[in-house]
Amino acid sequence: MYAIVDIETTGGHASANGITEIAICIHDGKKITRRFETLVNPQRDIPVYIRALTGITNEMVSTAPLFEDVAHEIFHMLKGQIFVAHNVNFDYSFLRYHLNAAGYELNANKLCTVRLGRKIMPGLVSYSLGKLCSHLGISNNSRHRAMGDAEATAELFSLYLKNDTANHIGQALKINSKEQRLPANLPKADIDALPWCPGVYYFHDEKGKVVYVGKAKNLKKRVCSHFTGNNPGQQRQEFLKSIHRISYQACGTELIAFVLEAVEIKRLWPKYNRSLKRFENKYGLYAYEDQRGYLRLAVDKHRKHMPSVYACNSLLEGYNLLNTLIDTFSLCPKLCFIQKNDQPCSGNNVNACACEGHETPEEYNLKVTAAMDELKKALPTFAIRDEGRTGDEHSCILIEEGRFYGMGYISHYFEADNIQQLKNHLTPYPGNDYIKNIVTGYASRHPERKVSFA
């Protein structure tokens, strides 16, 4: 037996919205054998745009039963039946959430008439309930009302049962089938195409735009994990509704996937990614030449389009580094913006300080250049050589002078002892401290995969 369900609600996610109307049609595979419908008092205001869409007003539900008053009857109508709805995860998440709040635990096999329509009647322009009914000649005089939509869905489901020559319904109901967990608009073929290897995956919306980027040690397993559970929250429900297609890039290692995910999130700025979007080096040590020709070092906030001599995460870290350079190379505290008052310079050699004109720009700049060269020498340059996507290649990530340079794949036989030759085989990418830290951390844990350069 099938329980064909439609509900009207005050909003798009169960955790913060109520049900205003519910209709259930019990279907025996040939016809409807029993009907149930009722308005429900959601105990909150129905937004004006929903009132306009459904015709259900606050006055209409003011005297209707609360959900907890009809929960017992609803639960026993659904218990043991196959739960069928158009975009089933929406209706199921609402009823499961509100039944649970009333003390009932709903666990039912599900069928989605959107997903079934794409399989049994492929090639249609739209699989919305209204467009399907119009195309198939199914009348619905109570559109966006629970019983009108439930009866239309029941008639649609009857047509599916008659035309399901490939047994798509039976396949979906198999015990080990997880298809009904998938978002309504996502083809199962996209899941089937995913490999069991590390990589980066992309969720696309109806227009093909990437709305989420993720990394995985196992692409198929990780992607499928997004569709387990019944989280009724707004973000998850909107997220699932937006997924229409999945693409992916296979990677040789999980480390490559980590790095590529960070790069792609910054490049694509997907709507549903939260972490890594805002990661930036907060401060940097910058060098520039002033109007008198003196090279000046300064700690400043991160500047997106100006390369820094050194990136740091705090102002304190930047000033500590700059003070060390001042002491080691006898730099001028005033020209480095450490001393900002009008008092005499507090440098190591006050009588020969550049800010007092005792050093020419050429003389002073040699010291600044030496300080920057020493700083660069202290920054690590190395590569990580690891497993590739196939047996005849290796993956490779390059850190040059403490900065992430790029990554790629090289031949199993390629000798990576020359940094310039190696760079010709890698793709440069923009980097940040997050990427540098995960790569250097990996290198410290796996020294046997680290390639150092003379």
Side-chain angles (χ1 to χ4, degrees), residues 51 66 147 158 215 220 239 256 286 347 421:
R51 280 181 259 158
L66 303 180
M147 184 53 77
S158 295
K215 64 182 179 299
K220 189 183 288 285
F239 173 58
I256 292 280
Y286 294 92
Q421 289 182 5

Side-chain angles (χ1 to χ4, degrees), residues 368-386:
V368 176
T369 301
M372 291 193 296
D373 288 343
E374 188 64 28
L375 186 58
K376 288 181 179 179
K377 287 179 185 177
L379 297 173
T381 295
F382 65 90
I384 296 292
R385 186 167 186 162
D386 213 331

Side-chain angles (χ1 to χ4, degrees), residues 67-88:
F67 185 86
E68 61 190 38
D69 296 331
V70 292
H72 178 79
E73 185 173 1
I74 290 170
F75 175 74
H76 284 282
M77 282 195 74
L78 298 176
K79 185 180 179 182
Q81 316 294 354
I82 297 165
F83 193 107
V84 182
H86 208 70
N87 191 3
V88 70

Side-chain angles (χ1 to χ4, degrees), residues 323-398:
N323 278 314
T324 300
L325 295 178
I326 289 170
D327 291 340
T328 305
F329 294 91
S330 298
L331 304 182
C332 173
K334 285 192 173 182
L335 292 186
C336 291
F337 299 95
I338 293 295
Q339 183 180 342
K340 299 179 182 179
N341 56 33
D342 294 328
Q343 300 299 315
C345 181
S346 60
N348 291 344
N349 191 357
V350 177
N351 295 324
C353 196
C355 67
E356 301 293 336
H358 298 301
E359 280 183 299
T360 66
E362 290 75 18
E363 291 171 330
Y364 182 75
N365 291 351
L366 285 175
K367 295 195 299 184
V368 176
T369 301
M372 291 193 296
D373 288 343
E374 188 64 28
L375 186 58
K376 288 181 179 179
K377 287 179 185 177
L379 297 173
T381 295
F382 65 90
I384 296 292
R385 186 167 186 162
D386 213 331
E387 296 178 9
R389 298 161 299 185
T390 61
D392 60 354
E393 71 175 14
H394 283 164
S395 61
C396 189
I397 299 176
L398 177 62

Side-chain angles (χ1 to χ4, degrees), residues 220-232:
K220 189 183 288 285
K221 185 177 180 180
R222 177 67 185 101
V223 169
C224 289
S225 72
H226 279 283
F227 311 129
T228 58
N230 290 284
N231 186 332

Side-chain angles (χ1 to χ4, degrees), residues 1-2 81-84 108-112 116 157 161 167-180:
M1 300 289 282
Y2 304 94
Q81 316 294 354
I82 297 165
F83 193 107
V84 182
N109 286 337
K110 297 178 290 181
L111 286 174
C112 178
L116 289 174
F157 186 63
L161 289 167
N167 194 32
H168 292 297
I169 295 174
Q171 292 294 322
L173 290 174
K174 283 185 176 180
I175 293 175
N176 61 352
S177 173
K178 299 178 181 179
E179 182 172 353
Q180 299 309 312

Side-chain angles (χ1 to χ4, degrees), residues 11 23 42 61 131 172 217 317 357 362 418 421:
V61 298
K131 294 288 178 62
K217 185 176 181 179
E317 180 187 353
E362 290 75 18
N418 184 298
Q421 289 182 5

Side-chain angles (χ1 to χ4, degrees), residues 396-417:
C396 189
I397 299 176
L398 177 62
I399 299 292
E400 184 179 29
E401 295 181 348
R403 298 173 186 270
F404 170 64
Y405 171 82
M407 60 187 178
Y409 297 91
I410 57 178
S411 167
H412 183 82
Y413 302 102
F414 181 78
E415 294 294 335
D417 55 351

